[in-house]
Amino acid sequence: DHRQAPAIGATMSVKYRVLVVDDDEATRLLIARILTQELPVEVTLAESAEAAKRQLGQTRFDVILLDLLMPETSGFEVLERLRAEQSPNRGTPVLVVSVLGDPESIERCRALGASVHIVKPILREMLADAVREHLPAEGRQIADHAERSDPGTR
């Protein structure tokens, strides 16, 4: 199956690529909607670790958002594999977005190379700020400017 995952993009001219990996469709769509409304990003959705692996092999992303609790392969395993393999996304910032907020899970994610751990439920501003902080430097400047020039987005 070589179908391209759906990409949802902002209308701004400069876009940064974000991969959202979550087995829950409603969560994937909520994250995509928040990010495309708040930031100049194009969001690619992956419903499983296997779908994420295909996308990570095809596209260089600027930020990856990763759920931990998924059937078959957990987000922990995806993160571990991503950091161990030679891939264009090996150094890409990974923001874990999960219901797991216990100290052991948070520490395990950090030890595996996650940049941020966000505990669900998702708060719009917290999510947008975390992604903005992990965009390449020029992306932060564009995202900050876009936010200042349209204060009615909140």
Side-chain angles (χ1 to χ4, degrees), residues 111-128:
L112 291 172
S115 301
V116 173
H117 193 109
I118 298 169
V119 179
K120 294 176 184 176
I122 298 164
L123 300 175
R124 171 183 285 273
E125 200 166 302
M126 181 185 296
L127 180 68

Side-chain angles (χ1 to χ4, degrees), residues 9-60:
T11 57
M12 296 174 210
S13 60
V14 177
K15 292 181 185 171
Y16 295 89
R17 292 188 171 124
V18 176
L19 176 64
V20 176
V21 185
D22 196 305
D23 61 325
D24 182 70
E25 182 179 26
T27 301
R28 286 193 309 271
L29 294 175
L30 172 65
I31 291 171
R33 187 172 66 240
I34 290 170
L35 295 182
T36 57
Q37 288 174 352
E38 298 287 332
L39 300 167
V41 296
E42 178 180 281
V43 177
T44 300
L45 305 175
E47 73 283 352
S48 66
E50 197 55 42
K53 185 177 180 183
R54 282 193 304 273
Q55 288 303 317
L56 291 167
Q58 295 173 1
T59 305
R60 167 75 172 91

Side-chain angles (χ1 to χ4, degrees), residues 6-110:
I8 301 166
T11 57
M12 296 174 210
S13 60
V14 177
K15 292 181 185 171
Y16 295 89
R17 292 188 171 124
V18 176
L19 176 64
V20 176
V21 185
D22 196 305
D23 61 325
D24 182 70
E25 182 179 26
T27 301
R28 286 193 309 271
L29 294 175
L30 172 65
I31 291 171
R33 187 172 66 240
I34 290 170
L35 295 182
T36 57
Q37 288 174 352
E38 298 287 332
L39 300 167
V41 296
E42 178 180 281
V43 177
T44 300
L45 305 175
E47 73 283 352
S48 66
E50 197 55 42
K53 185 177 180 183
R54 282 193 304 273
Q55 288 303 317
L56 291 167
Q58 295 173 1
T59 305
R60 167 75 172 91
F61 292 96
D62 296 298
V63 175
I64 300 165
L65 282 81
L66 177 65
D67 185 25
L68 295 176
L69 299 177
M70 295 185 291
E72 298 175 32
T73 306
S74 75
F76 292 112
E77 293 170 75
V78 172
L79 183 56
E80 187 171 24
R81 226 181 289 143
L82 177 65
R83 295 303 187 224
E85 293 177 355
Q86 289 294 74
S87 123
N89 291 290
R90 185 177 187 183
T92 301
V94 174
L95 286 61
V96 169
V97 181
S98 177
V99 295
L100 294 180
D102 59 282
E104 294 81 18
S105 295
I106 293 171
E107 180 52 39
R108 184 174 174 198
C109 288
R110 291 210 187 264

